[in-house]
Amino acid sequence: MPPVLINGQYGDSISVQDRGLNYGDGIFETIAVVNSQPLLWKQHLHRLRLGCKRLKIFALNWQQLQSEIATLLVNQSNCVLKILITRGCGGRGYKITESVITPNRILSLHPLPQYPKSWWETGIQARLCHTKLAINPALAGIKHTNRLEQILASTEWNDPNIAEGLMQDTNDNWICGTKTNLFLIKDNTLLTPTLYNSGVKGVMRSVVIQQAKLHGIKVIQRNINIVDIKQANNIFVTNSIIGIWPIKKLNGKMYSILMPLSFKFLYSDAIQKNKQCCKII
Amino acid sequence: MPPVLINGQYGDSISVQDRGLNYGDGIFETIAVVNSQPLLWKQHLHRLRLGCKRLKIFALNWQQLQSEIATLLVNQSNCVLKILITRGCGGRGYKITESVITPNRILSLHPLPQYPKSWWETGIQARLCHTKLAINPALAGIKHTNRLEQILASTEWNDPNIAEGLMQDTNDNWICGTKTNLFLIKDNTLLTPTLYNSGVKGVMRSVVIQQAKLHGIKVIQRNINIVDIKQANNIFVTNSIIGIWPIKKLNGKMYSILMPLSFKFLYSDAIQKNKQCCKII
């Protein structure tokens, strides 16, 4: 197993009193590491800080965290860095009874995930999942560790040729993939679901939106229904590890992977660099 | 720290690769132990089995689990037994890629929780929480470890005289307390929320419903709105550790704790015995 730093010490285990283990009381980031550098670091750190604030996880020493990450990444080849912050060890019961509780910091490196080259070049096959995302404004947007919905959705298929499953919320709005954010192109406009009620505000999603705006593309964040999906000219999914995968086939329907010319920003370094932390087979 | 059995071995830590830690990918039971016996054991076991089935956690050796519990409880004085089952250690990513994954079994004993005698005898003060429960039929009813909603609701008050907070779902139906189930008495009828969309089907809730029916009480499970709460003659909350606490004051409104005569079943051994695993102060 690659090295893991737990509260600054190399190790491989955590107390069974940890609230992350007991209640999913935590938050995480999964970050592409290329040439020993965590990519899009400021954006990941921003989301992590926001998540801690939303979950009221205080008393995390951010300088210490960054110093530990730097230690872990010295001379590392391309890989994935996972930062897992739990509220800490806090007894039995949902209520936090301790006046000060020290969060646990679990920093781990993971080998390059392996994906076929074609998934970037000629697109992926995807499916529409039956498992729905709950409407939960209090938790929407952040990358917390209550992930049973994504786990159950991921159990819906075994075909290794299906790269991703899209998920709708209980109001039948399509929100995201199990591990990716969702974008549609229609009439030269970029559409992506609003994430006020469900889903994770992906770092790569933000980069794509920002780059699109820089390149003069109209970006609309709104509810996306099944008609939008059916009528889209192109569909693609994003995350911080893969960058972008175009969808070529979704529940049997074929989509073009030829993007309009104005979408050449999708091939920019800001978006494409991340896939260097994948092993392309 | 009282003894913890982890996969049959005494210990205090678990691998950082555990999916319970990383994604809240697990399920648990909290059980009153009186005279070395886990109370309402069949009901707890039934819910645990149902939860594992719903979350597709297979390959748990149930005989082994029961044997470990028996070992842990030998000569134990009254306490709380917590059974935590996670899907096991399974790499990074929501998708379960291993064909066989062995669940982790974490069995721990906890000291008697301390509560004032008056909370049983003259009732508790409770509040209405702002944090809402998501509508999530796929997860409703079971006692999984995705508990951020309950945790956030529990942070809403610090007053130690407030014993519990009630939670509504995003459709404004009142569902439960943060750690209890909810019952209303109105016109000699027992009302309790349906739990198809949110909440946990409490073992003590089932006992109360069963005992009420045995005693000829009309029991209605339906959506409960704020008017139902305001118009109730009595309100009480239940769980497997405390048994029953009547509510005497809810967001400033006083309620009678004098139950109708036909509700004497609430003082039966099946319901009251559990509180013996509490330290009454």
Side-chain angles (χ1 to χ4, degrees):
Chain A
M1 188 181 159
V4 182
L5 264 185
I6 303 164
N7 299 325
Q9 305 290 320
Y10 287 100
D12 56 12
S13 64
I14 188 98
S15 164
V16 290
Q17 293 188 68
D18 181 90
R19 291 179 60 95
L21 173 70
N22 285 279
Y23 306 122
D25 194 2
I27 199 142
F28 70 112
E29 290 291 327
T30 313
I31 304 173
V33 175
V34 173
N35 300 327
S36 298
Q37 294 301 312
L39 299 188
L40 303 171
W41 170 243
K42 278 188 183 169
Q43 292 94 322
H44 283 289
L45 185 63
H46 174 74
R47 185 172 61 182
L48 197 60
R49 281 181 182 273
L50 190 69
C52 284
K53 195 175 164 191
R54 295 261 306 271
L55 295 186
K56 304 179 189 178
I57 294 178
F58 304 123
L60 184 68
N61 185 328
W62 293 94
Q63 268 199 315
Q64 192 177 33
L65 180 75
Q66 295 197 53
S67 148
E68 288 166 5
I69 292 168
T71 302
L72 196 62
L73 293 186
V74 168
N75 295 327
Q76 275 299 331
S77 50
N78 297 2
C79 62
V80 172
L81 164 67
K82 179 168 175 173
I83 304 173
L84 171 60
I85 305 293
T86 73
R87 195 180 304 276
C89 296
R92 196 183 61 73
Y94 303 134
K95 198 162 177 67
I96 304 149
T97 48
E98 291 77 4
S99 58
V100 178
I101 182 165
T102 309
N104 283 323
R105 312 176 300 281
I106 302 157
L107 311 180
S108 54
L109 298 181
H110 300 265
L112 310 184
Q114 290 190 15
Y115 301 114
K117 198 175 179 184
S118 63
W119 289 9
W120 284 272
E121 296 188 348
T122 57
I124 61 166
Q125 294 185 52
R127 72 191 301 281
L128 301 173
C129 290
H130 302 295
T131 307
K132 293 187 177 187
L133 293 162
I135 305 289
N136 194 331
L139 296 176
I142 60 177
K143 203 167 168 78
H144 56 70
T145 58
N146 274 201
R147 292 293 157 204
L148 280 170
E149 293 169 342
Q150 285 79 4
I151 290 168
L152 289 180
S154 300
T155 64
E156 289 186 24
W157 76 97
N158 290 315
D159 181 351
N161 295 313
I162 307 281
E164 181 58 305
L166 302 187
M167 298 182 74
Q168 60 185 323
D169 67 18
T170 51
N171 286 346
D172 298 345
N173 295 307
W174 292 88
I175 302 295
C176 55
T178 61
K179 59 177 180 286
T180 56
N181 284 112
L182 173 65
F183 287 90
L184 279 60
I185 302 176
K186 200 179 168 209
D187 304 330
N188 268 304
T189 299
L190 188 61
L191 298 177
T192 193
T194 52
L195 301 176
Y196 299 120
N197 289 324
S198 310
V200 175
K201 281 196 179 165
V203 161
M204 187 52 72
R205 174 182 181 270
S206 304
V207 172
V208 168
I209 291 171
Q210 181 200 36
Q211 291 285 316
K213 287 178 178 171
L214 273 178
H215 286 75
I217 300 287
K218 188 174 173 189
V219 181
I220 300 177
Q221 299 185 43
R222 64 162 169 83
N223 288 339
I224 301 289
N225 61 32
I226 193 67
V227 177
D228 294 315
I229 299 226
K230 285 183 178 166
Q231 292 181 346
N233 302 123
N234 312 89
I235 305 184
F236 61 89
V237 293
T238 64
N239 77 27
S240 290
I241 305 303
I242 60 164
I244 285 188
W245 284 337
I247 292 183
K248 67 175 178 187
K249 196 175 178 185
L250 179 62
N251 267 34
K253 177 172 161 56
M254 301 301 293
Y255 287 86
S256 169
I257 64 147
L258 296 173
M259 307 283 177
L261 272 181
S262 52
F263 281 74
K264 61 175 187 278
F265 74 88
L266 293 176
Y267 304 97
S268 69
D269 200 44
I271 295 166
Q272 292 290 326
K273 198 179 179 187
N274 288 56
K275 79 174 182 189
Q276 289 180 35
C277 86
C278 299
K279 185 172 180 185
I280 295 166
I281 50 177
Chain B
M1 189 181 158
V4 181
L5 263 186
I6 303 164
N7 299 327
Q9 306 290 320
Y10 288 100
D12 56 14
S13 65
I14 189 99
S15 165
V16 289
Q17 294 189 67
D18 181 89
R19 291 180 59 96
L21 173 69
N22 285 279
Y23 307 121
D25 194 2
I27 199 142
F28 70 112
E29 290 291 328
T30 314
I31 305 173
V33 175
V34 174
N35 300 326
S36 297
Q37 294 299 312
L39 299 188
L40 303 171
W41 170 243
K42 277 188 184 169
Q43 291 94 322
H44 283 288
L45 185 63
H46 174 74
R47 185 173 60 181
L48 197 60
R49 280 180 181 275
L50 190 69
C52 284
K53 195 176 163 190
R54 295 261 305 272
L55 295 186
K56 303 180 189 175
I57 294 178
F58 304 122
L60 183 69
N61 186 327
W62 293 92
Q63 268 200 316
Q64 191 178 33
L65 180 75
Q66 295 197 54
S67 149
E68 288 167 4
I69 292 168
T71 301
L72 195 62
L73 293 185
V74 169
N75 295 328
Q76 275 299 330
S77 50
N78 296 4
C79 61
V80 172
L81 165 66
K82 179 167 175 175
I83 305 173
L84 171 59
I85 305 293
T86 73
R87 195 181 303 276
C89 295
R92 197 184 60 76
Y94 303 134
K95 197 160 178 70
I96 304 148
T97 47
E98 290 77 4
S99 58
V100 177
I101 182 165
T102 309
N104 283 324
R105 311 177 300 281
I106 302 159
L107 311 179
S108 53
L109 299 181
H110 300 264
L112 309 184
Q114 291 191 14
Y115 301 113
K117 198 175 179 185
S118 63
W119 289 9
W120 283 272
E121 296 187 349
T122 57
I124 61 166
Q125 294 184 52
R127 72 190 304 279
L128 301 173
C129 291
H130 302 295
T131 307
K132 293 187 175 186
L133 292 162
I135 304 287
N136 194 329
L139 297 177
I142 59 176
K143 204 168 168 76
H144 56 71
T145 58
N146 275 200
R147 291 293 157 203
L148 281 171
E149 292 168 343
Q150 286 78 5
I151 290 168
L152 288 180
S154 300
T155 65
E156 290 185 25
W157 76 97
N158 290 315
D159 181 351
N161 296 314
I162 306 281
E164 181 57 307
L166 303 187
M167 298 182 73
Q168 59 185 323
D169 67 18
T170 52
N171 287 345
D172 297 343
N173 294 308
W174 291 88
I175 301 295
C176 56
T178 61
K179 58 178 182 286
T180 57
N181 284 112
L182 173 65
F183 287 90
L184 280 59
I185 302 177
K186 199 178 167 212
D187 305 331
N188 268 304
T189 299
L190 188 62
L191 298 177
T192 194
T194 51
L195 300 176
Y196 299 120
N197 289 325
S198 310
V200 175
K201 280 196 177 164
V203 161
M204 187 52 73
R205 173 181 181 269
S206 304
V207 171
V208 168
I209 291 171
Q210 180 200 36
Q211 290 286 315
K213 287 178 178 172
L214 273 177
H215 286 76
I217 301 287
K218 188 175 174 187
V219 181
I220 300 177
Q221 300 185 43
R222 65 161 167 83
N223 290 339
I224 302 290
N225 61 32
I226 193 67
V227 177
D228 294 315
I229 298 222
K230 285 182 178 165
Q231 293 181 345
N233 302 122
N234 312 88
I235 305 184
F236 61 89
V237 293
T238 64
N239 77 27
S240 291
I241 304 303
I242 60 164
I244 285 189
W245 284 337
I247 292 182
K248 69 175 176 188
K249 196 174 179 185
L250 178 62
N251 268 33
K253 178 173 160 55
M254 303 301 293
Y255 287 87
S256 168
I257 65 148
L258 295 173
M259 308 283 179
L261 273 181
S262 52
F263 280 75
K264 61 175 189 278
F265 74 89
L266 292 176
Y267 306 97
S268 69
D269 200 46
I271 295 166
Q272 292 290 328
K273 198 177 179 188
N274 288 55
K275 79 173 182 189
Q276 290 179 36
C277 86
C278 299
K279 186 172 179 185
I280 295 165
I281 51 176

